[in-house]
Amino acid sequence: MVRIGVGERRARLGRRHLLGAGCQAADPVQATTAMVALHATDPATVHLSIAARVPGSDVAGTERALYDDRTLIRMLGMRRTVFVVPTPFAPVVQAACTDDIAVKQRKLLVKHLTEAGVADDVESSGRWLATVEESTATALALRGSATAQELSADEPRLRTRLSMATGKTYAAQPYVTSRVLFQLAADGRIVRGRPMGTWLSGQHQWSPAADWLSGGLGDKPVAEEARVLLARAWLASFGPGTAADLQWWSGWTGGQTKKALVAVEAVAVDLDGQVGYVLPGDEAPEVPVEPWVAFLPALDPTPMGWKDRDWYLGTHKSKLFDTTGNIGPSIWHNGQIIGGWGQPESGEVRYQLLEDVGADTKSMVEAEAARWTTWLAGVRVTPRFRSPLEKQLSQS
């Protein structure tokens, strides 16, 4: 069994994640394809992850790919998380992950509707939900695009309230609106379009998938085939990784993960005592790249690509991750995290190094911080999930 050590794993990131000098992408689609998908729970992440990998990129170019050319699409995917993926790859993600999520979420929503007294039993609640879904989809088709508020005006039943955590201190009675739209999106019937505000806004207009893309999401592969395609893409970008890494990243069951690795003919390698996997023919060392430094945003796909993060994170988890496993803004040097960054109200990029690096690396870090301050041009990005170090650096 070939051994791939920490040094080699780190060396792969500069080229495969388009972070090394001379290895970067030409456009947002190429950058996204190299990473399989970009986290989009926090809308700023998409723009910043692309800017870290595409020299000279700007917000307008990413928005053009998302909303005009529509070569990128925002969709629900792995682990019930919103991602941006290359549009041709969307059917693969839908079949490999989202369809299963849609089934589970529908059962959960029907259960909540029944508990809220919307109908007497699960069967009746299911019929009520299906009726409201069809009415909402029709209203959206008539409008062409619409906000959740506009759709709830067209279909008043969207203002039905659920009863969540009754009797608890955190009890809530949210409208069913977002749950119904989530379900329609998970089923691939509607898509998130332009944001309602700036590129930092998390509120989007909705459009029918068939209107947003000619033919909607297109022909899906069968689920098992889609999982093989997704596993192959993950290994190409994030390999070597363990079965546990792939299972966590994808949100699959252990059985689904094992079958996908077998079908892709993944080659077992030794990761310092753990069994990892690479694609066939990918056991050889990576061709070295020039030393590099990168400032990556919160939830960037590079640090969120594996369950086991010690090999690139070291002892810095408590400063760079929140309590639920979301990473904040991080600074990388040659495949390992060496610090973090944030912005005070004045907008400049501040950083703190957590590793003892030499003068040359410090100069590279300083230059990259200045570049990001210029790129952001006074726009302050506050991550949706804030890490302790980011909070500290963001204080005025």
Side-chain angles (χ1 to χ4, degrees):
M1 185 183 296
V2 174
R3 178 181 176 275
I4 298 181
V6 169
E8 168 60 19
R9 296 186 75 180
R10 292 174 176 174
R12 291 178 175 229
L13 296 187
R15 190 178 304 279
R16 301 191 185 197
H17 288 201
L18 307 178
L19 298 170
C23 305
Q24 296 182 297
D27 55 53
V29 176
Q30 187 181 31
T32 306
T33 301
M35 302 309 301
V36 186
L38 303 178
H39 283 256
T41 305
D42 189 333
T45 299
V46 176
H47 293 274
L48 299 182
S49 291
I50 288 173
R53 295 171 171 86
V54 182
S57 69
D58 56 17
V59 169
T62 299
E63 289 188 326
R64 186 163 53 250
L66 280 165
Y67 311 126
D68 296 326
D69 301 339
R70 300 178 185 177
T71 48
L72 296 175
I73 189 170
R74 181 179 276 103
M75 66 179 297
L76 188 74
M78 295 70 74
R79 304 189 312 281
R80 202 166 61 87
T81 297
V82 178
F83 288 89
V84 162
V85 304
T87 301
F89 202 62
V92 173
V93 174
Q94 181 74 32
C97 301
T98 317
D99 284 346
D100 279 352
I101 294 168
V103 171
K104 294 174 184 176
Q105 291 302 304
R106 179 174 296 279
K107 289 180 180 178
L108 182 61
L109 179 52
V110 168
K111 176 176 178 287
H112 288 158
L113 289 168
T114 306
E115 292 172 347
V118 171
D120 294 334
D121 52 43
V122 167
E123 184 176 348
S124 299
S125 294
R127 288 197 298 269
W128 184 94
L129 175 58
T131 301
V132 174
E133 284 180 298
E134 292 307 316
S135 176
T136 302
T138 299
L140 182 57
L142 291 172
R143 285 183 176 268
S145 64
T147 64
Q149 185 175 5
E150 289 169 338
L151 290 171
S152 64
D154 294 340
E155 172 45 270
R157 285 175 292 185
L158 288 175
R159 295 174 179 165
T160 301
R161 289 188 179 274
L162 298 175
S163 296
M164 310 299 292
T166 303
K168 306 290 186 181
T169 56
Y170 49 88
Q173 291 185 310
Y175 291 121
V176 77
T177 311
S178 63
R179 308 298 178 93
V180 172
L181 294 176
F182 177 98
Q183 190 65 50
L184 287 168
D187 287 332
R189 299 180 63 182
I190 67 175
V191 298
R192 298 163 178 84
R194 289 187 181 274
M196 296 304 299
T198 71
W199 57 280
L200 302 179
S201 173
Q203 300 297 316
H204 294 265
Q205 292 183 327
W206 294 92
S207 294
D211 291 350
W212 190 257
L213 301 171
S214 178
L217 292 182
D219 294 331
K220 294 184 298 181
V222 298
E224 191 165 326
E225 178 186 343
R227 286 191 287 269
V228 174
L229 293 171
L230 189 58
R232 182 177 291 117
W234 181 83
L235 285 169
S237 181
F238 296 95
T242 65
D245 289 331
L246 175 57
Q247 181 179 346
W248 175 84
W249 182 88
S250 62
W252 296 334
T253 66
Q256 289 171 333
T257 304
K258 182 177 180 181
K259 287 184 69 174
L261 287 171
V262 170
V264 84
E265 299 181 342
V267 177
V269 294
D270 175 12
L271 301 181
D272 294 323
Q274 291 190 86
V275 177
Y277 296 93
V278 296
L279 289 174
D282 195 25
E283 304 95 322
E286 184 66 69
V287 177
V289 300
E290 293 296 319
W292 56 273
V293 162
F295 280 46
L296 298 183
L299 291 177
D300 185 87
T302 292
M304 296 296 290
W306 302 268
K307 182 180 182 180
D308 175 21
R309 299 159 178 156
D310 290 347
W311 60 274
Y312 66 79
L313 179 61
T315 60
H316 309 313
K317 179 179 179 180
S318 62
K319 291 187 176 182
L320 292 170
F321 281 79
D322 71 6
T323 55
T324 56
N326 300 300
I327 194 169
S330 56
I331 303 174
W332 292 67
H333 175 238
N334 294 350
Q336 72 176 110
I337 289 181
I338 61 170
W341 62 278
Q343 289 177 278
E345 290 185 8
S346 51
E348 79 273 12
V349 169
R350 289 180 178 172
Y351 67 87
Q352 180 177 323
L353 295 178
L354 302 174
E355 294 281 337
D356 184 13
V357 298
D360 289 346
T361 300
K362 285 183 179 179
S363 294
M364 294 170 67
V365 169
E366 187 65 34
E368 193 67 4
R371 184 183 79 83
W372 274 108
T373 295
T374 300
W375 193 93
L376 288 161
V379 175
R380 188 188 187 201
V381 176
T382 301
R384 180 169 295 186
F385 305 105
R386 307 190 69 183
S387 63
L389 184 56
E390 183 275 327
K391 290 180 182 179
Q392 174 188 329
L393 293 170
S394 298
Q395 294 176 357
S396 299

